[in-house]
Amino acid sequence: MAASAELRVDQLPADPLLHILSFLSFRDLIKYVTDYLVTNGYRQEKVTVKMTALNNADRVLSGTSWYCLFRQYYRDLGRYITYYPVLKRAWEQLKTFLQQRCPRMIASLKGADYKAPPELELNNIEAQINGSLPNDYRCSYRIHNGQKLVIPGLMGSMSLSNHYRSEVLLDIETAGGGFQQRKGMRHCLPLTFCFHTGLSQYMALESAEGRHKFESFYPCPDQTAQDPSAINMFITGSSFLNWFTTYVHNVVSGDFPIIRDQIFRYVHDKGCVATTDDITVSVSTSFLPELSSVHPPHFFFTYRVRYPSVFPVRQHRFLLCCNSSACFRIEMSSKASPEAACQLDSRYWKITTSDGNVEEVQGPGVVGEFPVMRPGKVHEYSSCTTFSTHSEYMEGHYTFHRLANKEEVFQVAIPRFHMVCPSYREPAGRTQKTSSNYMSHLDDNGEEDCDGDSDSSAT
């Protein structure tokens, strides 16, 4: 008998395969599928999560056989088997976190409540925009249909004295209504929207005008191009799955601080901490695309500093306006002796841009304040700066004096922190180059105060 090619189970047509598997009990089916997938290179935990779409509780509740239930699930969700476990886990982690830290935001989430059956509704949106939605995007919207148009937005906030941004995750109907076909933004679907700035992140449904298919981005008008429709792009994700799960990880891992029940997209490098005697300084940074541009080169960051003293006090957050922002935390150990109490007198900065330029800045206090540090105290403020290069780093020190002896002066190190703008892309065919190299105007203190009276508690 002639040898025949081996017939693999996954090569069988769906209907005969389902008929064969219908002779197995529910428990045997789960064991068989799990063993088969693990044998073929799937990790055990991934297989387990993938099978959670089909369970005995669902079967009993529906009053149908597991075989019929399996067919129903397969018809409805089979196309999403690659994405469903990852996105479902991300949504559950995000909701658990929000319930604990931002409970009012939970009420703004929209479930899978569509006017028509979910798949039909998604198909209708595709017909409306005359394009195809990626399966990871469709799968996420089968779990949660975005967010109500309310503040605060699920996708992060930022606040300066005269500038506020909070991005809502759009539901599928609103996103479809905002689909772009104008020159410079062809085949682009909005993912988020901010009421205050009009800012949106978009997803490219086709490779066009210098964009890669399915990547997410902030549009940035090219102010130096002759064509007014020329759009540069700050890239935020290679796909919807990458964009959404990366954001959720930053939220639930605590990388983004919660301020006034809102998610602030400051990023803290865990190595960006320096301790001098009893005082610890840490810094977080954030890039603001809505205040930045590629042409001309103008990159806006904000940085947030926190430093801790034995008495509980309010934490203050002061924001400065130039085009880069960070958060500073200064903390004095609660174990320090009362005689260690001190007051900040001045600051010194050494700023190095990616093209090698170095600038040194020094001045009295921080954002017009001269904080007194006592054991257990935490002082926090934010500042900003603008650069014409896509990355730079800053470092320096504060000068303090002891309250018990003003002649005792000492320095506290500020750790080096980097500010790097996200990857950006220019529109296809752009030939004009901009070579100007400038930094935003700084006042005599090297900083511009834009929120000297903004207080909040960071959690």
Side-chain angles (χ1 to χ4, degrees), residues 249-257 264-268 270 284:
H249 172 76
N250 287 332
V251 172
V252 302
S253 65
D255 286 348
F256 292 162
F264 275 64
R265 292 195 333 223
Y266 281 107
V267 178
H268 175 62
K270 291 179 172 56
S284 305

Side-chain angles (χ1 to χ4, degrees), residues 129 176-190 192-193 197-204 206 208-211 217-222 227-233 427:
I129 67 176
F179 181 69
Q180 299 291 314
Q181 281 288 35
R182 61 185 170 89
K183 185 179 179 182
M185 290 290 291
R186 291 192 178 104
H187 310 295
C188 292
L189 184 78
T192 68
F193 179 72
T197 65
L199 178 76
S200 286
Q201 292 186 69
Y202 287 85
M203 178 172 58
E206 299 290 343
E209 300 172 322
R211 290 179 291 274
F217 66 95
Y218 284 108
C220 176
D222 191 325
D227 184 354
S229 66
I231 301 292
N232 298 304
M233 298 145 278

Side-chain angles (χ1 to χ4, degrees), residues 17-33 66-67:
L17 178 59
L18 286 173
H19 180 70
I20 293 170
L21 296 179
S22 69
F23 291 95
L24 298 177
S25 67
F26 179 82
R27 185 185 301 276
D28 289 340
L29 172 71
I30 297 298
K31 184 178 188 306
Y32 166 74
V33 175
W66 71 262
Y67 172 64

Side-chain angles (χ1 to χ4, degrees), residues 203-271:
M203 178 172 58
L205 297 187
E206 299 290 343
S207 296
E209 300 172 322
R211 290 179 291 274
H212 295 170
K213 190 174 184 179
F214 298 150
E215 71 182 359
S216 56
F217 66 95
Y218 284 108
C220 176
D222 191 325
Q223 301 175 34
T224 64
Q226 296 179 353
D227 184 354
S229 66
I231 301 292
N232 298 304
M233 298 145 278
F234 290 111
I235 309 303
T236 57
S238 59
S239 65
F240 180 86
L241 182 72
N242 169 259
W243 174 77
F244 183 73
T245 56
T246 298
Y247 176 77
V248 171
H249 172 76
N250 287 332
V251 172
V252 302
S253 65
D255 286 348
F256 292 162
I258 306 302
I259 302 173
R260 297 189 299 272
D261 292 326
Q262 299 181 66
I263 302 168
F264 275 64
R265 292 195 333 223
Y266 281 107
V267 178
H268 175 62
D269 180 348
K270 291 179 172 56

Side-chain angles (χ1 to χ4, degrees), residues 6-265:
E6 179 184 357
L7 180 63
R8 293 171 53 90
V9 173
D10 58 4
Q11 294 173 342
L12 288 175
D15 287 341
L17 178 59
L18 286 173
H19 180 70
I20 293 170
L21 296 179
S22 69
F23 291 95
L24 298 177
S25 67
F26 179 82
R27 185 185 301 276
D28 289 340
L29 172 71
I30 297 298
K31 184 178 188 306
Y32 166 74
V33 175
T34 301
D35 290 345
Y36 177 79
L37 293 176
V38 170
T39 301
N40 285 272
Y42 289 79
R43 290 199 336 222
Q44 176 69 42
E45 58 268 27
K46 288 188 176 180
V47 173
T48 302
V49 173
K50 287 186 178 184
M51 296 308 298
T52 59
L54 178 64
N55 56 59
N56 255 334
D58 292 332
R59 182 187 64 77
V60 173
L61 186 63
S62 67
T64 61
S65 69
W66 71 262
Y67 172 64
C68 293
L69 188 65
F70 182 86
R71 289 182 65 108
Q72 292 171 12
Y73 269 95
Y74 185 80
R75 286 196 194 100
D76 189 30
L77 296 170
R79 67 186 294 182
Y80 306 127
I81 194 66
T82 302
Y83 306 108
Y84 182 82
V86 179
L87 288 167
K88 181 66 171 177
R89 185 188 302 114
W91 272 110
E92 291 303 320
Q93 290 175 338
L94 181 59
K95 288 193 297 182
T96 300
F97 179 88
L98 294 178
Q99 193 65 57
Q100 297 172 350
R101 306 294 300 277
C102 307
R104 66 174 176 152
M105 204 178 289
I106 286 286
S108 71
L109 298 182
K110 301 179 72 172
D113 48 349
Y114 295 88
K115 299 176 183 177
E119 284 299 292
L120 178 59
E121 186 76 16
L122 290 165
N123 292 341
N124 289 341
I125 295 296
E126 289 187 331
Q128 173 186 328
I129 67 176
N130 193 26
S132 297
L133 301 171
N135 278 340
D136 52 356
Y137 178 84
R138 291 177 63 113
C139 180
S140 180
Y141 278 74
R142 289 295 307 273
I143 302 170
H144 275 289
N145 184 20
Q147 183 186 17
K148 298 174 185 177
L149 296 178
V150 297
I151 298 298
L154 178 66
M155 304 310 291
S157 302
M158 185 56 63
S159 177
L160 307 177
S161 63
N162 56 352
H163 180 84
Y164 176 75
R165 180 192 78 212
S166 191
E167 292 183 60
V168 172
L169 180 64
L170 295 176
D171 62 54
I172 189 65
E173 298 85 358
T174 307
F179 181 69
Q180 299 291 314
Q181 281 288 35
R182 61 185 170 89
K183 185 179 179 182
M185 290 290 291
R186 291 192 178 104
H187 310 295
C188 292
L189 184 78
L191 297 174
T192 68
F193 179 72
C194 172
F195 291 102
H196 298 81
T197 65
L199 178 76
S200 286
Q201 292 186 69
Y202 287 85
M203 178 172 58
L205 297 187
E206 299 290 343
S207 296
E209 300 172 322
R211 290 179 291 274
H212 295 170
K213 190 174 184 179
F214 298 150
E215 71 182 359
S216 56
F217 66 95
Y218 284 108
C220 176
D222 191 325
Q223 301 175 34
T224 64
Q226 296 179 353
D227 184 354
S229 66
I231 301 292
N232 298 304
M233 298 145 278
F234 290 111
I235 309 303
T236 57
S238 59
S239 65
F240 180 86
L241 182 72
N242 169 259
W243 174 77
F244 183 73
T245 56
T246 298
Y247 176 77
V248 171
H249 172 76
N250 287 332
V251 172
V252 302
S253 65
D255 286 348
F256 292 162
I258 306 302
I259 302 173
R260 297 189 299 272
D261 292 326
Q262 299 181 66
I263 302 168
F264 275 64
R265 292 195 333 223

Side-chain angles (χ1 to χ4, degrees), residues 367-387:
V367 293
E369 296 288 319
F370 300 85
V372 172
M373 303 302 298
R374 302 181 188 278
K377 180 181 177 181
V378 175
H379 185 81
E380 187 174 47
Y381 74 94
S382 295
S383 178
C384 327
T385 185
T386 305
F387 291 86

